[in-house]
Amino acid sequence: MTANDKSYDGFTEDERDAMKERAKELKASARRGSRGAKADTEPEVLAKIAEMEEADRVLAERVHALVKENAPELTAKLWYGMPAYARDGKVVCFFQSAQKFKSRYATLGFSDQAALDEDTLWPTAYALTALTPATEQRIAALLKQAAG
């Protein structure tokens, strides 16, 4: 079977690219050694955001600013080639551009490290198409809660 075959259920080219980016991130982290989670990786995140297409870049820049304002204890880092924000080296939330996997919308996602647990069901990812003041307020509240 080939990747062009409709019945192929392996990794897509985009998924393989994301895994390669993650491998590079892990190698870079290993080179940083003892600085590990304490290293300033924000410039790498800002560079990745700057590479995005305009619609995604505008959203990512604002999400980045919202994280800095509302969860300053989280550290910016790359995670599978996406801007992510971590506590003690563990990803709490991330921004996935629409172009990353050729989706129709960008995504703000939260990992199991986020303190969002509520009853027996809660969302861990949100589609983003635009940021209104009300949306930004909701994101700010989620970030504060997620950061714990």
Side-chain angles (χ1 to χ4, degrees):
M1 276 186 209
T2 68
N4 295 332
D5 184 350
K6 297 292 183 205
S7 64
Y8 179 75
D9 64 358
F11 294 111
T12 66
E13 183 177 336
D14 293 330
E15 290 167 332
R16 285 190 302 276
D17 288 344
M19 288 185 284
K20 288 176 187 175
E21 287 187 80
R22 183 66 182 140
K24 287 179 193 174
E25 294 159 11
L26 291 171
K27 285 179 186 174
S29 179
R31 280 193 302 272
R32 285 191 282 271
S34 63
R35 291 183 296 151
K38 303 264 190 244
D40 181 14
T41 54
E42 186 173 16
E44 296 167 13
V45 170
L46 294 174
K48 185 59 76 171
I49 291 171
E51 293 173 5
M52 293 178 186
E53 293 177 3
E54 184 178 2
D56 286 335
R57 186 177 63 250
V58 169
L59 291 172
E61 287 171 345
R62 191 63 193 128
V63 166
H64 182 79
L66 287 167
V67 172
K68 299 281 286 175
E69 292 166 19
N70 296 284
E73 63 274 23
L74 298 181
T75 304
K77 66 184 274 179
L78 290 176
W79 185 61
Y80 292 94
M82 298 178 284
Y85 305 89
R87 178 179 48 245
D88 300 324
K90 296 181 180 181
V91 171
V92 173
C93 61
F94 60 91
F95 177 86
Q96 180 179 300
S97 69
Q99 75 189 56
K100 182 79 174 167
F101 296 110
K102 297 173 184 69
S103 177
R104 67 184 180 104
Y105 49 78
T107 306
L108 174 62
F110 294 89
S111 77
D112 61 345
Q113 298 297 312
L116 295 177
D117 304 31
E118 184 177 302
D119 198 26
T120 59
L121 176 73
W122 60 90
T124 59
Y126 296 82
L128 288 177
T129 57
L131 291 175
T132 65
T135 304
E136 288 189 9
Q137 285 180 346
R138 178 104 189 268
I139 291 171
L142 284 167
L143 291 168
K144 288 175 186 174
Q145 182 181 352

